[in-house]
Amino acid sequence: MEKKGKKGVRALLAVTLIGGLLAGCGNNDNNGGSGGNDGDSGSNGGGSGDKPVTLKILHNWNGSTGGDVDMTPVAKQIKEKTGVTVEFEYTVGSEVEKVNTIFATQNLPDIYTGPAWGNELDGIIKAAKEDQLVDLTDKLDKYPNLAKAVAKENVPPALYEKAIDAYDGKKFLMYQNHPATDEDAMDWLYGFYVRKDIAEKIGVDPQSVKTKDDLYNFLKKIKDANLNENGMPVIPLGGFHGGWAVNIADTMFYGTTYIDKGDGTLEHNIFTKAYEEYTLFYRKLISEGLLDSEAFTQTDPIANEKIKQGRIAVLAAHYPAILDASKDYVKANPGTDYVPVGPFERAGADASRPADLAIQGNNVTVITKATKNVDAALKLLDYLASDEGFLLVRYGVKGVHWDEVDGKPVAKQEWFDKFTADTTGKMKKNEGIGIGFEALTGMDRINSVGGGDIWADQDRLAAVDNARKILRPNGISVISAFNPGDVMTKSPQYEGLKPAFDQISDVWKEAIFAKTDDGALKSINALREQLKKSGYDDAIKYVNENLQGKEVVKVQMPN
């Protein structure tokens, strides 16, 4: 999933993890946890001698869902191991609004987990500074799996400074899903994907589309072909909810959010000529009917319905989301698979450069002060972050859903066949696989400890491998440099600037729907003036001074 920085004008991420929970109950005896489980088994004696505890967890991801049953086989085993019953709440709508609302109203879950970036993260940092979260400083030594996940060496340096070690030595935030090894790094393969049959109809090789002009001409050729599906015109370019992630062509105009001016100092891209060119490019797509005009207001169900109707020629998003959304249509219409377009040129990057990806964890997790049993919460989270808990949540119950072969999980054929046949994905969720627990499993060990995606069908794996070969011809490079945006949030001027920064996405959308180029530029310039009046010049000076001598992110691909 900024992505869902990860959110804002850039593609919203978000979106593979599922689950959540709400405000907590339990007992006040704090019997739940001496902890002490090791990293291999995660077993700490289970719940047999402990009083039962119910904890409510909010999984703050828009559109996250669970199964249709209250107690899945996975949840049942978790209860047996920890004595904790988990209840989930799923966010529908804005994650930023949700995190701000729960702390403003004090309608708090026992445990919160949500995006490790953007305004969602800022909301959690604010809660920590306001003493609304449980201080874990003197507790983590009892829970080694959690302690390992927030160790300095296991967190990107900028995030560690901004969110983990930012409270005068106290620890409030637990970091989740960061790859334990390079082998575990997950590349979501963000890009533009075209239906293979449509590319063939218009006579264009998708791999010949590499530049801005190529992309424009490609979409125009699709529109000029006057294609129809189910009596409705085919839309050249579309995306998913709220515009995710149609604007990822921005990488052809600038490298990342803060751009080197050529003298070693940085400038926010909104003040650059490249940002104007990017905006006017998208205004042209909108005005000529090449980009779905509803893309920025539609919900996911509406977007998915368009895809199921065969109405979107080119989709922009990460590949797993596209494969999931299109599988019903492809099954009914063989040969209509979405295949990669490009790879595109990247501003400021040599063509031979590996794809620069800021691969990091998906979630930060906190225990709120509404929790009546902190030890039970920590015991649950530490078990989930153990190898045993990780394998349980990712693959299901050992001996039921999978077996261990040569030290790695291998899917049982009967369950593989059932899950493959179920195009809704509900069966897997009803077993407890692929829901919110995944966000709480500590460091991501999907390949180093697990067996990869053992539930993926062979056709899907082949499609992903093919896309990777096309879009990542030189491999990937995991970014470890400092993000200037994180430094900006520490500037004395940031609180005054934040309202203007928060408008960037809305102003950009206003600009691309403007009637003229001049109207689009007028919207951008008005926001530029607002930023300047709010202290931007002093803030960017602070950023440049604090990043002297540090490696800074200058080129980044969406992931």
Side-chain angles (χ1 to χ4, degrees):
M1 349 242 178
E2 104 54 162
K3 250 127 198 238
K4 237 192 181 151
K6 294 264 181 192
K7 295 241 175 175
V9 177
R10 188 173 289 274
L12 304 177
L13 283 218
V15 72
T16 53
L17 293 179
I18 320 173
L21 294 173
L22 178 54
C25 58
N27 60 63
N28 292 307
D29 298 329
N30 286 333
N31 288 341
S34 60
N37 45 302
D38 61 45
D40 294 323
S41 71
S43 176
N44 55 19
S48 59
D50 297 331
K51 295 181 180 180
V53 177
T54 297
L55 296 176
K56 297 182 179 180
I57 304 175
L58 169 63
H59 190 295
N60 190 29
W61 286 88
N62 176 43
S64 57
T65 59
D68 295 326
V69 296
D70 292 331
M71 183 62 73
T72 67
V74 167
K76 182 178 180 181
Q77 184 140 329
I78 290 170
K79 182 179 179 179
E80 290 174 354
K81 290 288 184 178
T82 67
V84 176
T85 298
V86 175
E87 296 177 358
F88 291 87
E89 179 191 355
Y90 311 106
T91 293
V92 177
S94 166
E95 293 97 340
V96 176
E97 182 178 335
K98 186 67 174 180
V99 71
N100 291 333
T101 298
I102 62 172
F103 288 105
T105 63
Q106 290 297 293
N107 183 18
L108 295 170
D110 294 292
I111 298 170
Y112 166 97
T113 191
W117 49 72
N119 290 331
E120 299 90 338
L121 176 61
D122 291 342
I124 291 299
I125 293 172
K126 181 173 182 288
K129 292 179 177 178
E130 292 175 348
D131 198 32
Q132 298 201 63
L133 308 178
V134 173
D135 179 8
L136 306 174
T137 311
D138 60 352
K139 297 177 172 59
L140 288 176
D141 61 335
K142 300 178 183 177
Y143 301 96
N145 300 311
L146 299 179
K148 182 177 181 181
V150 294
K152 186 174 183 178
E153 63 270 19
N154 294 327
V155 181
L159 183 68
Y160 188 82
E161 285 189 8
K162 175 182 178 178
I164 305 298
D165 191 33
Y167 318 100
D168 298 323
K170 294 182 178 180
K171 292 288 193 299
F172 296 99
L173 279 64
M174 292 170 279
Y175 189 45
Q176 307 277 5
N177 312 126
H178 189 69
T181 69
D182 289 345
E183 181 186 3
D184 299 303
M186 176 61 177
D187 177 5
W188 292 96
L189 293 171
Y190 268 89
F192 287 71
Y193 293 80
V194 64
R195 264 182 35 197
K196 183 168 58 176
D197 62 313
I198 291 178
E200 291 171 352
K201 284 178 183 177
I202 65 171
V204 176
D205 176 2
Q207 272 61 76
S208 70
V209 181
K210 296 185 179 297
T211 68
K212 310 175 192 71
D213 289 341
D214 290 342
L215 177 59
Y216 168 78
N217 292 329
F218 183 51
L219 297 174
K220 191 171 188 309
K221 196 162 186 177
I222 293 172
K223 183 175 176 58
D224 291 346
N226 294 314
L227 303 174
N228 284 274
E229 289 278 355
N230 297 313
M232 294 176 285
V234 169
I235 300 167
L237 173 61
F240 289 84
H241 65 276
W244 181 70
V246 295
N247 57 334
I248 56 176
D250 59 354
T251 58
M252 292 195 284
F253 294 87
Y254 46 77
T256 188
T257 305
Y258 288 82
I259 298 173
D260 192 326
K261 294 165 60 178
D263 60 0
T265 62
L266 302 169
E267 186 82 279
H268 194 287
N269 60 31
I270 196 173
F271 290 97
T272 67
K273 185 70 173 175
Y275 190 86
E276 295 177 2
E277 293 171 351
Y278 152 65
T279 303
L280 297 181
F281 178 82
Y282 271 88
R283 198 197 79 78
K284 186 176 182 180
L285 297 184
I286 288 285
S287 64
E288 296 186 14
L290 304 181
L291 170 59
D292 186 0
S293 62
E294 298 176 349
F296 298 96
T297 56
Q298 69 190 2
T299 62
D300 246 7
I302 291 174
N304 282 316
E305 186 61 26
K306 291 177 181 177
I307 297 166
K308 289 178 180 178
Q309 293 171 346
R311 295 183 56 206
I312 308 296
V314 178
L315 268 171
H318 64 56
Y319 202 25
I322 292 172
L323 290 171
D324 288 341
S326 63
K327 61 185 175 184
D328 288 344
Y329 186 83
V330 172
K331 186 175 181 180
N333 301 273
T336 60
D337 317 61
Y338 281 92
V339 296
V341 179
F344 295 152
E345 64 181 4
R346 291 189 289 153
D350 186 272
S352 64
R353 184 185 180 113
D356 302 85
L357 304 177
I359 292 175
Q360 62 180 52
N362 297 295
N363 285 58
V364 292
T365 300
V366 297
I367 301 173
T368 76
K369 285 201 168 178
T371 308
K372 295 182 174 66
N373 196 321
V374 174
D375 283 341
L378 285 165
K379 181 178 181 180
L380 169 71
L381 293 172
D382 197 62
Y383 173 71
L384 293 174
S386 70
D387 285 354
E388 179 183 308
F390 181 90
L391 295 175
L392 170 65
V393 167
R394 295 301 178 114
Y395 300 128
V397 179
K398 184 178 181 180
V400 175
H401 300 105
W402 58 277
D403 292 315
E404 186 175 316
V405 178
D406 296 329
K408 294 288 185 178
V410 175
K412 281 185 174 288
Q413 192 64 46
E414 65 169 302
W415 284 105
F416 182 90
D417 292 342
K418 288 178 182 179
F419 292 157
T420 300
D422 175 31
T423 59
T424 69
K426 277 291 186 181
M427 182 178 291
K428 189 185 292 184
K429 292 179 182 179
N430 286 341
E431 294 301 309
I433 305 166
I435 63 173
F437 286 121
E438 286 191 356
L440 304 167
T441 50
M443 300 189 74
D444 189 359
R445 291 148 281 167
I446 193 66
N447 293 311
S448 59
V449 171
D453 187 357
I454 66 173
W455 301 115
D457 64 56
Q458 294 304 305
D459 289 342
R460 184 185 180 98
L461 288 176
V464 170
D465 286 343
N466 179 63
R468 183 173 292 108
K469 290 174 184 175
I470 292 171
L471 297 180
R472 308 291 188 244
N474 304 303
I476 67 172
S477 175
V478 178
I479 294 171
S480 60
F482 281 81
N483 186 333
D486 292 332
V487 180
M488 175 63 78
T489 64
K490 297 179 180 179
S491 68
Q493 298 78 22
Y494 181 69
E495 286 304 313
L497 279 167
K498 190 175 184 298
F501 275 132
D502 287 346
Q503 292 182 50
I504 289 178
S505 179
D506 289 339
V507 169
W508 182 81
K509 283 181 278 188
E510 175 185 301
I512 66 172
F513 281 96
K515 292 182 178 180
T516 64
D517 284 358
D518 285 344
L521 295 177
K522 183 177 179 180
S523 295
I524 293 172
N525 285 327
L527 183 55
R528 287 169 169 171
E529 290 179 13
Q530 185 178 345
L531 285 163
K532 291 280 189 179
K533 289 178 181 178
S534 300
Y536 170 80
D537 289 337
D538 288 335
I540 196 66
K541 180 180 178 183
Y542 173 91
V543 170
N544 282 305
E545 288 175 348
N546 280 272
L547 286 175
Q548 284 185 1
K550 294 182 178 179
E551 183 184 2
V552 176
V553 177
K554 295 182 180 178
V555 179
Q556 181 175 336
M557 296 286 285
N559 69 290

